Amino acid sequence: MDGVPRGPEQRRSGSSTEPAALRFGVLGPVRAWRDDEPVTTGSPQQRALLAALLLREGRTATAAELIDALWGEEPPSQALAAVRTYASRLRKVLDPGVLVSESGGYAVRGLGEGALDLAAAQELAAEAEKARNTGDLCHARDVLNRALSLWDGETLAGVPGPYAEAQRVRLEEWRLQLLESRLDMDLEQGCHAEAVSELTALTAAHPLRERLRELLMLALYRSGRQAEALAVYADTRRLLADELGVDPRPGLQGLQQRILRADPGLAEPSAPMAEPVAVSVRPAQLPATVPDFTGRASFVRELSDVLASASGDEARVMAVSALAGIGGVGKTTLAVHVAHAARASFPDGQLYVDLQGAGSRSAEPETVLGAFLRALGTADSAIPDSLEERAALYRSVLDGRKVLVLLDNARDAAQVRPLLPGTAGCAALVTSRVRMVDLAGAHLIDLDVMSPEEALALFTRIVGEERVASEREAALDVVAACGFLPLAIRIAASRLAARRTWTVSALAAKLADERRRLDELQAGDLAVKATFELGYGQLEPAQARAFRLLGLADGPDISLAAAAAVLDLSAEDTEDLLESLVDTSLLESAAPGRYRFHDLVRLYARACAERDEQPPSEREAAMSRLLDFYLATAAGVYAIERPGDRTVDHLEPTRFPGMEFSNDMNALDWLHSESACILACVRQSLRPNTLRRAVDLLLAAKDLAESGASSLSYEAAAFAARDATAGAGDAHAEGRARTTLAQVLSRAGRFDEAGVEAACAIELGNRTGDPWTRGNAHNEQGIIANCRNERAVSEAHLLEAIRAFRSDGNRPGEASALCNLSRVLVSVGRTASGIDLVRQGITIYDELGLTFRLANARYALGIALSHAAREAEALSELSTALETFVENRQRLWEGATHFRIAQVHLSAHRPAQAAQHAEQALKTGSMGGDWMRANILTLLGRSLSALDQIDRARACWQDALTIYEKSEAPEATELRSLLRPVEAA
């Protein structure tokens, strides 16, 4: 299969009796296959003859035409005999009847559909053009990518003759046209950042192709890089003047002027396409509406009218409706009901998110935008990092669509604003406890409790008409006791409906005992607490205990396994209890195997735990078991990822076991899926009795710091751990916390702060004798000093780290320090010694089977080899490391490796490839934070300068200089020296 291109109609046959299919390729070397087996096509001249016949698409070529095709104006004396010999040889290896003699010439006939890769590419290109004309850009892009994938290197590679050369030029031009068309559609669909890297490489390869330059300018502008976009134009104008003596074509000049004016139209597709016949991704995320929705008729009409005006053909603005009211008043139920009723008006989909605004940690807008963009069909690789870029891309993706967005349980207007669509045709429904008077243009609705009639109707629908009809007065007493609050009524009615032996009067009597607290219903949250008191009082003892203890955990939700640890029960018994709580509406099933409290219910559960869970040590024991569970499981993941690392031997002991995993990927999946819960547990456990275990959980979950997705949350937890351990006076825990924080700050490029933390950690490690802190703190201080160009200091710390790791028997730690020391030696010209050290590290990693950490060593070896001018070996090592980082979801290391690959390409005088990898590093993000971003921009500028794109290079260097000067980095001096000759020119 490898290397065998397939046309759109080619499939492996399931029958052994069918004749083998003969297929040909000209979009690359001229080749033939019978099924998947290569067919020998002979000498270059013989392949030239075959290519000439294939490209005639069944038409006959005379002998004279073939001689001219193969040799041009100077054929050999035996040219005719040679043509006949080539034809005879081909006829022997091809199927009978394929190569035929006719009228003194030859032709290739009888090929099946899609048997020639060129014909397949033509069919796909025609299909893409048709899809684009109908507005189906997603399908058109996909089909064009399939067509372009049929090329396998240079067209007619290695085929001699004037005919082959002419066809090579023609087909290469066609390929570039297809590529430009696909890139144009990329920009139409908002994939600007993704396109920049590819366009940078293409403009380097085809510097005089103005359409590619135009697309690059537009992609840069839409990515927020206006200065670089204008620099591309300046480079192009100078190049055209120098090479051809002409000015850029009017279209390119017009684009430059529009960029200078910040023309709003550039934010839109330059040639809006017709409405797609079918939307490739149509999210339908609305939660199920309740079957017993009751009342609220006036609000339903009001909201429906607003949504109808937003989705109509004459809609001019995006509509926002914000519902406000106390918890439990029915905001979500009403919003979901109205949204379902309006689905037909929003045919392109409905998005939904619980923003958790009433909790202690509400959802971050950038996280929500990432989920929305994925739901709308955006690839993970195309989703930018910053909130502003994600919001802009989100609005671009929604442009031209009719989508309804339901933002539930919002904290405030600031949380909501980035999540609002930006164009007419879309609408947003927002629910919140607060009235959003500062949400510009929003249609505000204050939702109050139900009327007595509506409350009774809701109660009746849940309990049943027959039971209520005979006890109408008692039913009125019940809904009055519930304060006409929908959530309270629903909970009370559900309990009654589940207990067939109860009467309505019995329920009313129970509620009557609470009337002193029911007066508090008008005070806000206490209304819900009174209602929950009724439900809680009906729980069996085991259910009540589970309800109380599970409410203590801070995470956004909790897995079944973690809940079992909290309750100290088997998974089966825990699941039975949790599902019974789901039935009572006191707990929600967030996903299979995961559970969460409504934010108000969680507060109530904690109040119950403080009041009812006796003795208080039970609460502490439950949280201790949860901490043990996370620590034991995270330690297991750490051990799987780093066999032989002594870190797990130095962690605090745990009494409650963790989960076990069958392979690396399952372990990593668990760690990343539980990241929010793990970090919440760390912060919640920073108390005297659990302080050391909390810090150890943080360092056992260190992969979260390097993943990119959880880096900021991990950093916040590390700061909290440092402060808590310092306040508690626990030098052992403080040393570990400061070491971990130093690692986090160093990866973020904040070397001064990191150095302070590492120095404190070293002092604490020496005082306590903790082998983990001593080895890791010196190792990190060595990394920091090297990044600050303090080579001698770095070497001293890394040598101390090696001694500490060896003394502890920590071979992976020793390997890490060896690799870091290698980079120091390479930086001072001791390249051979550096290479020797990193190979020692690789040997250790190989012996231990450390795949992931081996990637770090190969990364270091690649750097060392590049300093030795062994570019091919360096690229091999870095490419292998890159594959491992991608596989292990280490985005920051992935970006750093792209940067190093770019450095190698530039030193090997391949600036186009260097620019492409530098762009990829910018898009992915990298270890080293802003400092490394400035390094990448500097390298990108050097690559562009080598490509004679001086103005764009200067724009990159200016951006880098701004970053360096902000942090007073020494690299600023070197960069100013780069800018001076450019500015002088």
Side-chain angles (χ1 to χ4, degrees):
M1 284 292 292
D2 292 346
V4 184
R6 293 184 176 274
E9 306 301 326
Q10 296 161 8
R11 302 288 187 269
R12 182 184 292 276
S13 172
S15 170
S16 61
T17 61
E18 294 182 6
L22 192 64
R23 295 180 293 103
F24 298 91
V26 294
L27 301 179
V30 176
R31 293 173 290 184
W33 298 268
R34 186 172 282 105
D35 253 359
D36 294 338
E37 294 299 321
V39 175
T40 301
T41 53
S43 66
Q45 284 79 13
Q46 189 169 307
R47 293 197 302 275
L49 175 67
L50 177 59
L53 295 175
L54 289 170
L55 291 173
R56 285 181 171 268
E57 299 178 348
R59 299 188 304 276
T60 301
T62 66
E65 289 173 330
L66 291 172
I67 290 172
D68 186 61
L70 269 64
W71 293 285
E73 296 180 357
E74 298 181 359
S77 58
Q78 301 298 317
L80 180 59
V83 166
R84 290 172 177 167
T85 299
Y86 299 151
S88 175
R89 291 173 180 170
L90 286 170
R91 191 178 285 115
K92 290 177 182 178
V93 297
L94 302 179
D95 294 344
V98 170
L99 198 159
V100 298
S101 300
E102 187 176 77
S103 304
Y106 299 94
V108 171
R109 304 270 172 82
L111 297 184
E113 185 176 0
L116 178 64
D117 58 359
L118 175 58
Q122 290 168 336
E123 292 175 11
L124 289 168
E127 181 183 345
E129 184 66 22
K130 182 178 179 182
R132 186 174 188 180
N133 288 338
T134 60
D136 192 350
L137 292 184
C138 287
H139 182 62
R141 287 174 65 205
D142 178 63
V143 172
L144 265 188
N145 276 325
R146 286 161 55 197
L148 289 165
S149 70
L150 294 176
W151 265 267
D152 186 18
E154 183 186 40
T155 302
L156 302 175
V159 175
Y163 179 79
E165 180 58 30
Q167 292 300 311
R168 201 158 24 240
V169 172
R170 177 181 72 86
L171 292 173
E172 174 61 13
E173 172 62 25
W174 184 52
R175 185 187 72 85
L176 286 172
Q177 290 173 3
L178 295 181
L179 195 54
E180 288 170 345
S181 180
R182 198 220 69 212
L183 286 162
D184 193 25
M185 287 186 281
D186 286 349
L187 300 189
E188 289 277 350
Q189 294 207 311
C191 302
H192 315 127
E194 193 174 65
V196 168
S197 176
E198 186 175 2
L199 282 164
T200 297
L202 285 168
T203 53
H206 307 279
L208 298 176
R209 200 168 182 93
E210 291 184 66
R211 178 55 179 158
L212 288 174
R213 298 272 185 159
E214 184 177 348
L215 290 170
L216 177 57
M217 288 173 65
L218 187 57
L220 286 167
Y221 180 75
R222 290 183 178 174
S223 299
R225 298 160 70 175
Q226 180 179 1
E228 285 187 65
L230 292 170
V232 170
Y233 177 81
D235 289 331
T236 306
R237 182 178 59 183
R238 186 181 63 255
L239 179 66
L240 291 173
D242 293 345
E243 297 291 330
L244 305 176
V246 299
D247 290 327
R249 60 185 178 82
L252 202 59
Q253 295 179 31
L255 178 60
Q256 183 228 16
Q257 291 300 313
R258 294 177 70 191
I259 291 174
L260 286 170
R261 296 194 307 269
D263 186 346
L266 289 181
E268 309 292 334
S270 57
M273 307 303 295
E275 196 68 20
V277 173
V279 178
S280 58
V281 179
R282 180 183 177 275
Q285 297 183 341
L286 295 177
T289 187
V290 293
D292 48 29
F293 181 86
T294 304
R296 307 297 202 188
S298 62
F299 290 119
V300 171
R301 284 194 301 271
E302 184 177 353
L303 287 168
S304 298
D305 289 342
V306 173
L307 294 181
S309 67
S311 61
D313 293 336
E314 298 182 1
R316 296 184 181 275
V317 295
M318 182 269 302
V320 181
S321 294
L323 289 73
I326 64 171
V329 79
K331 302 180 295 293
T332 299
T333 301
L334 173 59
V336 170
H337 178 79
V338 170
H340 273 283
R343 285 182 63 187
S345 298
F346 299 92
D348 296 322
Q350 306 84 42
L351 297 169
Y352 171 85
V353 65
D354 178 3
L355 294 173
Q356 304 176 36
S360 59
R361 290 181 177 84
S362 56
E364 294 296 332
E366 52 263 54
T367 302
V368 176
L369 285 169
F372 277 179
L373 286 167
R374 281 186 285 272
L376 291 163
T378 305
D380 279 348
S381 60
I383 298 176
D385 290 329
S386 73
L387 172 62
E388 293 77 14
E389 289 177 311
R390 288 189 177 191
L393 178 58
Y394 168 68
R395 293 190 294 271
S396 299
V397 171
L398 287 180
D399 184 30
R401 300 190 188 186
K402 291 187 175 184
V403 174
L404 175 61
V405 183
L406 204 172
L407 305 173
D408 192 20
N409 195 11
R411 180 189 66 233
D412 52 29
Q415 185 187 28
V416 166
R417 288 190 191 100
L419 308 179
L420 297 177
T423 55
C426 292
L429 283 173
V430 184
T431 72
S432 177
R433 292 187 191 180
V434 299
R435 196 167 191 266
M436 295 195 175
V437 293
D438 53 344
L439 191 61
H443 179 78
L444 303 179
I445 292 179
D446 292 327
L447 196 59
D448 204 348
V449 296
M450 285 181 153
S451 68
E453 295 78 13
E454 288 177 332
L456 182 61
L458 175 60
F459 184 82
T460 302
R461 292 194 66 173
I462 298 172
V463 174
E465 178 69 31
E466 182 177 345
R467 295 177 72 182
V468 174
S470 60
E471 296 184 272
R472 180 177 173 82
E473 290 302 319
L476 286 171
D477 289 342
V478 168
V479 296
C482 290
F484 309 112
L485 195 69
L487 182 58
I489 295 167
R490 181 173 298 280
I491 292 175
S494 297
R495 297 298 173 274
L496 183 60
R499 291 159 175 78
R500 304 301 300 176
T501 59
W502 283 19
T503 63
V504 180
S505 298
L507 177 60
K510 291 180 179 292
L511 287 172
D513 294 339
E514 303 292 338
R515 283 187 177 178
R516 286 171 299 177
R517 287 190 290 170
L518 290 175
D519 290 339
E520 300 175 358
L521 288 172
Q522 297 177 1
D525 291 349
L526 291 177
V528 177
K529 183 177 180 181
T531 305
F532 288 149
E533 192 71 57
L534 171 65
Y536 175 68
Q538 302 303 318
L539 296 179
E540 300 294 332
Q543 291 176 310
R545 174 179 179 270
F547 176 73
R548 294 190 299 267
L549 295 183
L550 291 176
L552 296 172
D554 268 353
D557 60 3
I558 192 166
S559 68
L560 178 60
V566 171
L567 302 179
D568 198 13
L569 296 172
S570 68
E572 293 78 9
D573 290 342
T574 301
E575 185 173 23
D576 289 343
L577 277 175
L578 268 55
E579 288 298 327
S580 70
L581 289 173
V582 170
D583 291 339
T584 67
S585 299
L586 290 174
L587 192 67
E588 299 176 12
S589 179
R594 299 198 75 85
Y595 300 88
R596 68 183 176 205
F597 283 106
H598 183 281
D599 45 14
L600 299 176
V601 180
R602 185 199 298 274
L603 295 175
Y604 176 74
R606 289 183 176 180
C608 291
E610 293 172 1
R611 181 189 66 195
D612 300 338
E613 197 62 45
Q614 300 298 333
S617 58
E618 281 296 307
R619 301 196 298 272
E620 296 173 5
M623 289 299 93
S624 179
R625 289 192 296 269
L626 180 63
L627 176 58
D628 274 358
F629 166 78
Y630 283 133
L631 176 54
T633 309
V637 175
Y638 192 101
I640 290 173
E641 289 293 301
R642 302 169 178 80
D645 194 319
R646 288 294 311 282
T647 294
V648 293
D649 300 322
H650 296 307
L651 300 178
E652 289 292 304
T654 58
R655 297 181 180 179
F656 197 92
M659 297 176 64
E660 296 181 357
F661 302 98
S662 58
N663 58 60
D664 293 10
M665 293 313 297
N666 287 343
L668 274 178
D669 286 343
W670 177 87
L671 184 67
H672 288 283
S673 66
E674 292 284 350
S675 60
C677 295
I678 289 172
L679 296 176
C681 185
V682 169
R683 299 188 66 155
Q684 188 176 13
S685 303
L686 294 173
R687 298 190 297 265
N689 291 342
T690 54
L691 186 59
R692 290 194 175 188
R693 279 182 289 155
V695 172
D696 282 357
L697 174 56
L698 188 65
L699 63 89
K702 67 177 294 184
D703 282 348
L704 298 178
E706 299 177 358
S707 69
S710 303
S711 300
L712 292 179
S713 300
Y714 190 95
E715 178 184 317
F719 271 110
R722 179 204 60 185
D723 294 344
T725 53
D730 188 332
H732 174 90
E734 184 183 354
R736 295 188 174 194
R738 288 188 181 274
T739 302
T740 303
L741 182 56
Q743 293 169 340
V744 171
L745 294 170
S746 173
R747 303 303 181 269
R750 293 152 64 180
F751 301 119
D752 290 343
E753 295 174 75
V756 171
E757 298 299 333
C760 290
I762 290 171
E763 191 275 326
L764 290 164
N766 290 335
R767 190 198 314 171
T768 63
D770 179 15
W772 187 90
T773 297
R774 291 186 64 232
N776 284 279
H778 277 293
N779 192 34
E780 198 58 42
Q781 191 71 294
I783 294 172
I784 295 163
N786 188 38
C787 291
R788 295 161 73 176
N789 298 321
E790 299 169 354
R791 313 300 184 196
V793 174
S794 176
E795 182 175 358
H797 280 291
L798 290 171
L799 289 172
E800 187 62 38
I802 291 170
R803 286 191 287 269
F805 284 132
R806 284 175 176 168
S807 174
D808 187 37
N810 190 340
R811 301 198 68 209
E814 176 189 349
S816 172
L818 286 169
C819 293
N820 292 326
L821 181 56
S822 160
R823 294 176 61 180
V824 177
L825 298 185
V826 166
S827 298
V828 296
R830 296 157 62 186
T831 306
S833 298
I835 293 173
D836 179 63
L837 283 180
V838 76
R839 290 198 186 280
Q840 292 180 40
I842 287 175
T843 299
I844 294 173
Y845 285 139
D846 269 333
E847 290 174 355
L848 296 172
L850 270 161
T851 304
F852 177 36
R853 288 303 145 193
L854 183 59
N856 293 107
R858 292 195 182 282
Y859 173 86
L861 179 57
I863 295 173
L865 291 169
S866 68
H867 278 266
R870 294 158 64 177
E871 286 90 357
E873 296 173 76
L875 284 176
S876 175
E877 296 295 339
L878 289 169
S879 298
T880 302
L882 179 62
E883 291 175 4
T884 304
F885 290 138
V886 171
E887 181 180 345
N888 286 273
R889 288 167 279 187
Q890 296 295 309
R891 286 187 60 206
L892 300 183
W893 278 111
E894 181 185 340
T897 310
H898 275 296
F899 168 66
R900 298 300 181 182
I901 292 174
Q903 285 183 316
V904 176
H905 278 303
L906 187 59
S907 67
H909 308 293
R910 293 189 291 268
Q913 292 94 322
Q916 187 173 11
H917 281 281
E919 285 284 2
Q920 191 65 35
L922 284 176
K923 184 166 74 74
T924 305
S926 175
M927 308 296 292
D930 286 342
W931 174 77
M932 181 58 89
R933 180 175 177 81
N935 291 344
I936 297 168
L937 284 167
T938 303
L939 177 66
L940 178 58
R942 290 180 183 274
S943 304
L944 295 170
S945 178
L947 292 169
D948 202 29
Q949 298 183 28
I950 304 301
D951 291 273
R952 189 179 166 198
R954 180 169 51 216
C956 292
W957 289 337
Q958 288 287 3
D959 288 345
L961 183 60
T962 300
I963 296 173
Y964 285 144
E965 288 179 339
K966 185 177 179 181
S967 60
E968 299 180 355
E971 289 86 354
T973 302
E974 179 186 358
L975 195 53
R976 291 191 194 98
S977 67
L978 281 176
L979 282 166
R980 285 192 195 102
V982 174
E983 291 168 350

